[in-house]
Amino acid sequence: MIYNAYFKSPIGILEIKSSATHIFSIEFVEESDFEKQQINDLIHDCILQLTAYFSHQLHQFELPLAFNGSAFQNKVWQELQQIPFSTTCSYLQFAKKLGDAKCIRAAAAANARNPFAIVVPCHRVIGSNGKLVGYAGGLWRKQWLLEHEQAISLQTKLF
């Protein structure tokens, strides 16, 4: 059985889909049907973690994710999770982390197909010139997420 639910975040509605054992996707949507949600324990935990993230209380998500892409896409999505909270890296740096600077376009394409918004932090990958480029949820969301994480890091350092 596939379960689904919606989460109202400060930057838009996220649709969460899961089985009883794994999250399949977390994606921004324009339309939602809160009356037809099917929430299981896993989605409930995901919503709690997203709430904690947006409330400045969570830096690392711990959810069982079902990576259903090609071998290369799965490698990219796994590597994205290694980018530390509130830091960024360029697409070129990221391609080098994957082992081949020449795979920069393929890495960017896989990054764009990331099915786990926020939880797999593709928003932390930026252009080599430091500019924000490419985010499936929109560049304004990418900027918001990076500023949100910077504020949390700054707050943590002050206390």
Side-chain angles (χ1 to χ4, degrees):
M1 178 171 182
I2 303 296
Y3 300 89
N4 76 301
Y6 300 96
F7 173 75
K8 286 185 183 179
S9 82
I11 54 175
I13 298 171
L14 289 161
E15 181 178 36
I16 306 162
K17 293 182 181 177
S18 82
S19 68
T21 59
H22 289 86
I23 301 283
F24 294 131
S25 65
I26 303 167
E27 299 179 317
F28 288 103
V29 294
E30 297 302 317
E31 296 180 17
S32 58
D33 191 348
F34 283 88
E35 293 179 13
K36 293 187 179 180
Q37 296 185 100
Q38 300 164 316
I39 300 175
N40 64 0
D41 289 343
L42 186 54
I43 287 179
H44 179 72
D45 187 40
C46 182
I47 290 171
L48 289 176
Q49 289 188 40
L50 285 166
T51 300
Y53 171 83
F54 284 109
S55 299
H56 297 227
Q57 299 170 356
L58 182 77
H59 296 196
Q60 183 75 32
F61 291 91
E62 294 188 23
L63 296 165
L65 305 175
F67 291 98
N68 291 317
S70 68
F72 182 75
Q73 287 173 326
N74 291 343
K75 180 179 178 181
V76 167
W77 299 333
Q78 293 285 344
E79 189 62 37
L80 285 169
Q81 293 180 90
Q82 304 310 310
I83 302 172
F85 183 82
S86 80
T87 62
T88 59
C89 72
S90 72
Y91 281 98
L92 179 59
Q93 291 169 322
F94 188 70
K96 288 178 180 177
K97 285 182 183 183
L98 291 169
D100 183 2
K102 294 177 187 172
C103 77
I104 189 170
R105 288 181 190 253
N111 196 18
R113 289 181 181 85
N114 170 22
F116 305 104
I118 303 168
V119 173
V120 173
C122 58
H123 60 275
R124 296 179 189 155
V125 184
I126 60 173
S128 295
N129 60 3
K131 299 212 181 223
L132 301 185
V133 293
Y135 187 65
L139 290 181
W140 71 272
R141 285 188 175 114
K142 184 172 191 163
Q143 181 173 350
W144 191 97
L145 291 165
L146 293 173
E147 289 173 357
H148 173 74
E149 292 183 5
Q150 287 294 320
I152 294 171
S153 287
L154 181 61
Q155 186 179 40
T156 303
K157 290 176 186 174
L158 292 175
F159 295 100

